[in-house]
Amino acid sequence: MFFLSSAEWSVRNVIIRMLVSLVLGCIIGLDRGIKRRVAGTKTNTVVCLGSTLVMLTAQYMEVMFPGMADMSRMAAQVISGVGFLGVGTIIISGHQVRGLTTAASLWTCACIGLAVGIGFIDGAVIICALMLFALHVLPHVERLAYRRTRYFTLYLEVNNNKAVLPIITYLKQEGIKIENFDILKGKEKGDPSSVLINLHVRDLNKIDTYIDEMEQLEGVTAVENLYE
């Protein structure tokens, strides 16, 4: 490996690890920040540097006090601890959950920092590149796959729960298979309820027709295809 010598404990290698951690954290942070995500450059960089310091400290303790420190235990605490930070970026807004990718990026950024901190720079650089690939290329692949799938999810707003029965009746008449059906009641009395339905259709060309016809059902105020 190109950076194999950086695993040895020395002042030079410690500085190299810190700088590499700074650069990789900045790269991931800039990528998220450009997209106006919750955790941007500062957050990702600090997480990466902090996890790097943990591993540097663990190795330092092993060098200075052989047999008295457990390096894997300190890494495990970082991996589990960053999870709490990631939870703060997850936002549930109406019928959608946002921030999962940001939370996963923070967790991966911490793991990259741990790898750099112990001198496994090659692995950290490769994972950083693959992570950027996953964040930029896979969404396009995912959209192409969604266009061909026979499964789709509808979000409906209804005036009252009595509107649910006509919806189910219509779907059965059209031969549409209901995979999952959830009703989210309004917070206060009189507020509209929300319905999430996972469906399997036979004819992909009729999806727009199904949505238009469901909007005409009594009690239905809005219909939206979540993964269009």
Side-chain angles (χ1 to χ4, degrees):
M1 295 183 180
F2 183 75
F3 290 102
L4 184 60
S5 60
S6 62
E8 299 176 358
W9 183 260
S10 67
V11 175
R12 171 181 171 274
N13 288 340
V14 169
I15 294 175
I16 289 176
R17 294 182 208 177
M18 289 179 176
L19 292 177
V20 171
S21 177
L22 176 66
V23 172
L24 296 183
C26 283
I27 290 174
I28 297 173
L30 282 171
D31 178 72
R32 305 306 296 162
I34 289 173
K35 297 179 180 179
R36 298 295 189 270
R37 302 309 184 198
V38 178
T41 308
K42 291 185 293 184
T43 304
N44 280 277
T45 303
V46 170
V47 167
C48 196
L49 286 172
S51 54
T52 297
L53 179 60
V54 169
M55 289 310 294
L56 286 171
T57 304
Q59 188 176 8
Y60 172 82
M61 293 172 65
E62 182 64 27
V63 172
M64 300 301 295
F65 311 101
M68 297 183 63
D70 188 347
M71 298 176 64
S72 61
R73 179 177 297 180
M74 295 187 68
Q77 294 299 318
V78 172
I79 293 174
S80 60
V82 172
F84 291 97
L85 182 62
V87 169
T89 67
I90 300 175
I91 302 173
I92 300 177
S93 176
H95 57 279
Q96 292 184 330
V97 179
R98 301 181 181 277
L100 289 175
T101 302
T102 300
S105 298
L106 278 174
W107 185 83
T108 305
C109 192
C111 294
I112 289 174
L114 292 174
V116 173
I118 201 62
F120 187 32
I121 297 179
D122 295 84
V125 172
I126 293 172
I127 290 299
C128 182
L130 292 176
M131 180 178 173
L132 294 176
F133 171 84
L135 291 173
H136 287 273
V137 178
L138 292 186
H140 298 290
V141 177
E142 191 176 45
R143 279 193 289 270
L144 290 175
Y146 282 159
R147 291 175 184 173
R148 298 178 180 274
T149 183
R150 295 182 183 274
Y151 294 89
F152 67 105
T153 301
L154 288 183
Y155 168 78
L156 300 89
E157 288 188 357
V158 297
N159 290 329
N160 51 66
N161 293 337
K162 293 181 180 179
V164 174
L165 182 58
I167 295 172
I168 296 176
T169 302
Y170 170 78
L171 294 174
K172 288 183 177 180
Q173 289 176 348
E174 295 295 329
I176 300 174
K177 183 179 179 181
I178 301 175
E179 296 290 334
N180 193 26
F181 195 101
D182 293 321
I183 301 176
L184 308 174
K185 296 183 179 180
K187 294 182 178 180
E188 298 181 3
K189 187 176 181 180
D191 289 347
S193 299
S194 302
V195 181
L196 280 175
I197 316 176
N198 295 327
L199 303 172
H200 178 269
V201 299
R202 297 177 182 177
D203 190 352
L204 295 176
N205 297 322
K206 290 186 177 181
I207 292 179
D208 291 335
T209 301
Y210 295 144
I211 293 176
D212 292 338
E213 292 181 352
M214 292 179 71
E215 287 180 335
Q216 304 304 318
L217 296 176
E218 184 178 356
V220 178
T221 58
V223 182
E224 180 185 353
N225 185 0
L226 292 186
Y227 301 107
E228 188 175 15

